[in-house]
Amino acid sequence: MPTTQNLHLGHAGEPCPDAYYVRRGETGFLSTLHSQGAWQPGEQHLAVAAGLVLAEAERRLPSDKLVSRVTFDVLGVIHSGPFTIDVRMLRPGRSIELIEASMRHGDQVSVQARIWRLLASDTSGKQGGEWTPLPPPEAMQPWMFSEVWSGGFIGSLQARRGADSRPGRGRSWLRTDYPLVEGETDPPVAGFVKLVDTANGLAVRADPNVVFFANVDLTIHFTRQPEAGWVGFDTRVDFGPTGLGETFSVLSDVKGPVGTAAQSLTVRLRDR
């Protein structure tokens, strides 16, 4: 992975707000140390970057339609420091619409998102699902997520994990008290999404000091709109024989399952 300079607000000991980003105008932002990624100090974590990209798409293109699917492709290192978010409508419609949004550092795009929003309708009489509900957060033991991963973002989280967790399989709950942007309230779906990319680190199959297994994307499907707060994960991690892998999770809020998340992994042995 290419190295990048640490430009997070707060990295040199200067005052840092209890938020992941500081707004700098209509489309510009500055990352804080709380958004710092786990693989190297000078990058942002995809989880909060994804949450912010979705939040800006919802803020700039408000709608009564519901987020059905959002895919984030990682096109390069998510640099710390100042950046811009661009949003445009790709496919308008009365019942279905597709939005594109991206995070840009100068001329370089690091995260590209596509968001499907669908018209809401009353299907409560036909609702049903096959996913097993998670035990509630209070039924799991507190867990020091930072014992496995470093970085400011991981350090901002509260975690609980099931006693039956093992390498490659686990059930977990996460939450944070920090908003995406200083002085602003997270949109509900974005406030949920800002924690989802942690799935790849919740049920690690191999020691990250020995095996590199970063994800190149994140795809989330919703069957209902989630409530922000605790985010639940029922996660499995699979490595193949030729450097490919996948992390797959059933996602929940405190009311039950809300959808799924999948991450495509590039699996490589580290040089020792």
Side-chain angles (χ1 to χ4, degrees), residues 131 169 199 234-238 246-250 260-263:
W131 298 320
R169 190 77 171 88
D234 188 346
T235 300
R236 70 165 193 252
V237 180
D238 296 283
E246 183 196 36
T247 296
F248 179 84
S249 301
V250 175
T260 62
Q263 298 158 291

Side-chain angles (χ1 to χ4, degrees), residues 111-174:
V111 180
Q112 187 86 50
R114 288 199 167 192
I115 305 150
W116 282 105
R117 297 195 301 199
L118 311 181
L119 184 68
S121 62
D122 183 4
T123 55
S124 56
K126 298 296 182 181
Q127 68 178 332
E130 301 300 324
W131 298 320
T132 302
L134 282 175
E138 58 270 22
M140 296 187 185
Q141 292 298 311
W143 176 49
M144 291 299 294
F145 201 6
S146 56
E147 291 179 353
V148 181
W149 297 99
S150 61
F153 176 64
I154 298 301
S156 74
L157 304 179
Q158 303 164 47
R160 291 179 175 266
R161 184 168 67 168
D164 57 351
S165 295
R166 62 181 189 271
R169 190 77 171 88
R171 297 183 295 174
S172 314
W173 288 95
L174 294 178

Side-chain angles (χ1 to χ4, degrees), residues 224-241:
R224 67 172 172 85
Q225 300 298 269
E227 293 186 2
W230 282 107
V231 178
F233 302 80
D234 188 346
T235 300
R236 70 165 193 252
V237 180
D238 296 283
F239 293 168

Side-chain angles (χ1 to χ4, degrees), residues 215-227:
N215 54 300
V216 299
D217 74 343
L218 169 66
T219 298
I220 304 169
H221 286 91
F222 289 112
T223 55
R224 67 172 172 85
Q225 300 298 269
E227 293 186 2

